[in-house]
């Protein structure tokens, strides 16, 4: 990464810092206005959300789908602004937003066992707040897919290493050498964080059902668990309320053991169990899941199916 790209990444951080100083009430108002604008203009976020709801929730009546689409866009826009605040404020202040915790005993027991831990963190609720909570509890390696822009990557590296996390969080690019690095961390009794619901590259995953639709799903998590014997826990920070009258939002931290089948030697069995667990979490509060992501672009070979997002 060049010096200029790094400097531009720092500039983006300064802009995020300024946005993160907005009062909570104004932040919520701007988020709602942005969501309304997406809907009115038929922006990418709105179109992708609508298509995903058609694919994953075909049983909804049109009015129900409209309501859920609006709720998803509001949550997504508010969360985008909230995350700027989380990235640019002290972590202790951010973690005070977590008002409830559930399942901490599973996390503590997995750390105490010393045989490695894989934290599967779906795109549900606020996963950046979860990252900060994990970093407060233990050193960890986080697998991430780098943005297409080098400037964007410089920005992410800056914000995710903030708050004293630089020495506690190892950011691992989702590329060839990553697998060896993650195995090393786990075999040393360490902790690895993985977003399990990102679509991998063609040839790097297995097709398994997700909300009734075949979705190319990562096999990496299952391979790591099966070959190392590491514990696998699902974790997410679910929004309890969106904040009102100028109050900040509040969150509940959830930690649950993953089904044993996520570590199955059969990739199809492992990915099916993985997707079923993520789907169950997403169904808890559908508006808090990342429906603005094109999860189903790649289709099973020989299926004759087209990319369902063409024209949307």
């Amino acid at each position: 990464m060049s010096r200029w790209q790094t400097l531009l990444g720092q500039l983006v951080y300064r802009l995020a810092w300024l946005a993160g100083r907005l009062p909570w009430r104004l932040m919520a108002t701007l988020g709602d206005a942005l969501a309304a604008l997406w809907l009115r203009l038929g922006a990418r976020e709105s179109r992708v959300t609508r298509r995903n709801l058609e694919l994953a929730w075909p049983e909804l009546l049109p009015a129900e789908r409209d309501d859920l689409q609006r709720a998803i866009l509001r949550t997504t826009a508010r969360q985008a602004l909230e995350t700027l605040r989380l990235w640019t404020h002290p972590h202790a202040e951010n973690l005070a937003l977590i008002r409830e915790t559930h399942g901490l005993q599973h996390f503590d027991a997995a750390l105490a066992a010393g045989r490695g831990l894989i934290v599967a963190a779906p795109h549900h609720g606020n996963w950046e707040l979860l990252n900060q909570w994990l970093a407060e509890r233990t050193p960890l390696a986080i697998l991430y897919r780098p943005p297409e822009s080098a400037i964007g990557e410089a920005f992410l590296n800056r914000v995710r290493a903030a708050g004293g996390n630089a020495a506690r969080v190892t950011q691992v690019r989702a590329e060839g050498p990553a697998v060896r690095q993650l195995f090393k961390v786990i075999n040393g009794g360490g902790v690895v964080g993985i977003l399990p619901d990102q679509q991998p590259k063609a040839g790097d995953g297995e097709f398994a059902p997700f909300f009734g639709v075949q979705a190319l799903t990562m096999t990496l998590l299952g391979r790591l668990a099966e070959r190392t014997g590491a514990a696998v826990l699902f974790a997410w920070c679910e929004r309890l309320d969106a904040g009102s009258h100028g109050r900040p939002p509040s969150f509940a931290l959830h930690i649950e053991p993953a089904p044993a089948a996520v570590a199955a030697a059969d990739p199809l069995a492992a990915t099916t169990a993985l997707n079923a667990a993520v789907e169950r979490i997403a169904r808890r509060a559908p508006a808090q899941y990342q429906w603005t992501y094109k999860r189903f672009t790649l289709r099973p070979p020989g299926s004759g199916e087209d990319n369902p997002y063409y024209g949307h």
Side-chain angles (χ1 to χ4, degrees), residues 49-311:
T49 296
R50 186 71 179 193
R51 186 60 177 139
N52 277 330
L53 293 181
E54 291 169 351
L55 294 168
W57 301 81
E59 70 277 13
L60 292 180
L61 296 173
E64 293 173 326
R65 192 173 292 121
D66 290 343
D67 289 343
L68 183 52
Q69 181 183 8
R70 283 191 291 268
I72 290 167
L73 293 177
R74 283 195 301 270
T75 300
T76 300
R78 284 192 178 197
Q79 178 163 310
L81 294 173
E82 289 167 4
T83 299
L84 294 179
R85 188 182 183 100
L86 295 177
W87 277 339
T88 58
H89 275 68
H91 291 185
E93 179 183 326
N94 298 335
L95 295 177
L97 300 176
I98 299 177
R99 305 295 172 80
E100 296 180 10
T101 56
H102 305 274
L104 293 188
Q105 70 274 15
H106 302 302
F107 186 83
D108 292 338
L111 287 184
R115 58 187 178 91
L117 168 61
I118 300 169
V119 177
H123 288 87
H124 184 80
N126 196 305
W127 51 93
E128 294 295 342
L129 184 59
L130 173 64
N131 284 344
Q132 293 184 6
W133 183 88
L134 290 170
E136 287 292 316
R137 299 290 294 241
T138 180
L140 75 157
I142 296 176
L143 183 71
Y144 77 103
R145 179 178 297 172
E148 295 180 3
S149 164
I151 297 170
E153 183 170 11
F155 170 71
L156 286 180
N157 288 336
R158 171 70 174 81
V159 295
R160 287 176 174 166
N165 277 357
R168 297 177 64 81
V169 178
T170 301
Q171 299 188 74
V172 181
R173 292 168 64 100
E175 297 172 346
V179 177
R180 292 191 298 273
Q181 190 171 354
L182 295 179
F183 270 111
K184 183 177 180 180
V185 170
I186 294 172
N187 286 328
V191 180
V192 166
I194 296 179
L195 297 166
D197 47 355
Q198 286 186 323
Q199 181 176 251
K201 295 179 181 178
D204 287 349
E206 183 82 21
F207 280 94
F210 183 58
F211 279 87
V213 183
Q214 290 295 311
L216 188 63
T217 305
M218 68 160 59
T219 55
L220 174 60
L221 189 150
R223 294 203 315 271
L224 289 170
E226 192 265 332
R227 296 179 188 178
T228 65
V232 182
L233 298 175
F234 278 93
W236 66 97
C237 281
E238 190 169 277
R239 184 176 280 97
L240 292 173
D241 64 66
S244 59
H245 306 294
R247 294 194 304 269
S250 60
F251 296 85
L253 171 71
H254 294 269
I255 299 175
E256 294 182 357
V262 301
D266 176 13
L268 179 57
T271 52
T272 298
L274 182 66
N275 281 353
V278 174
E279 179 177 332
R280 182 183 58 79
I281 293 168
R283 286 184 180 275
R284 291 172 51 96
Q288 295 194 37
Y289 189 68
Q290 192 187 32
W291 294 108
T292 57
Y293 178 62
K294 293 183 178 181
R295 183 68 177 86
F296 307 109
T297 55
L298 298 176
R299 309 313 308 139
S303 67
E305 298 177 20
D306 294 326
N307 180 338
Y309 302 101
Y310 282 152

Side-chain angles (χ1 to χ4, degrees), residues 32-51:
D32 291 349
L34 178 59
L37 187 64
W38 284 341
L39 190 63
R40 183 176 306 157
L41 298 180
R44 177 191 179 281
E45 291 80 4
S46 180
R47 289 183 281 107
V48 173
T49 296
R50 186 71 179 193
R51 186 60 177 139

